[in-house]
Amino acid sequence: MAVIYTTRTVDSPAWDAGATLVAPLPKDGAFSFTVGQSIGIVCGLAANDLDVFYGGISHAFWIETGRCKVMESGVTKTGFFVTNPATIYKIERVASTVRYYTDGVLRYTSLVASTGTVLLDCSLYAYGDTITTVERILYDGNV
């Protein structure tokens, strides 16, 4: 799998850098990932990657240092959850239902269906914001 733009490299805070996992999720499965520095990261499912702004990410985690929340198409869906540098974020889609997990704990089940092929798309805010690991899990047994 290839990832494009994994680290923000310009020191001018703005939602103007991003990362996209090139390997898509065509059906049931999940993406799990970890982050390094996280001043501002929005990472989740998107039908396409037309720009680096987070508004086009349909089902996502909004991640800041020490905390995260769930966001869908730019709208906050939960309060903040406490995180740490080793937190594993997972967004799972089964039969069009999306569920969000941190470290294996279910945090939110979306009321908005997800269908069709999606990518893992991320928007990065600050210099040094980083997606450090990504895994695509297909529920037919293939990774």
Side-chain angles (χ1 to χ4, degrees):
M1 286 180 264
V3 178
I4 304 170
Y5 289 108
T6 57
T7 302
R8 180 148 174 52
T9 59
V10 178
D11 191 8
S12 60
W15 294 106
D16 61 359
T20 302
L21 183 66
V22 175
L25 187 65
K27 51 188 172 183
D28 291 354
F31 288 112
S32 77
F33 59 94
T34 59
V35 301
Q37 173 183 295
S38 55
I39 303 299
I41 296 173
V42 177
C43 194
L45 308 180
N48 52 48
D49 182 22
L50 299 177
D51 59 31
V52 296
F53 187 66
Y54 61 79
I57 303 174
S58 63
H59 297 82
F61 279 109
W62 173 291
I63 304 165
E64 301 175 5
T65 302
R67 64 189 196 165
C68 74
K69 62 184 176 181
V70 172
M71 176 176 278
E72 294 183 345
S73 299
V75 177
T76 297
K77 296 296 181 177
T78 66
F80 280 103
F81 305 105
V82 174
T83 61
N84 64 63
T87 294
I88 298 171
Y89 302 89
K90 179 178 174 184
I91 302 174
E92 171 186 72
R93 180 178 71 179
V94 176
S96 77
T97 298
V98 176
R99 292 180 182 86
Y100 301 83
Y101 299 85
T102 57
D103 293 327
V105 176
L106 177 63
R107 297 300 187 173
Y108 182 72
T109 300
S110 180
L111 302 177
V112 178
S114 172
T115 60
T117 298
V118 292
L119 307 168
L120 183 70
D121 190 17
C122 305
S123 183
L124 309 174
Y125 180 76
Y127 176 77
D129 282 353
T130 308
I131 308 301
T132 53
T133 65
V134 177
E135 181 180 13
R136 176 185 71 155
I137 306 154
L138 299 177
Y139 287 172
D140 66 0
N142 296 315
V143 176

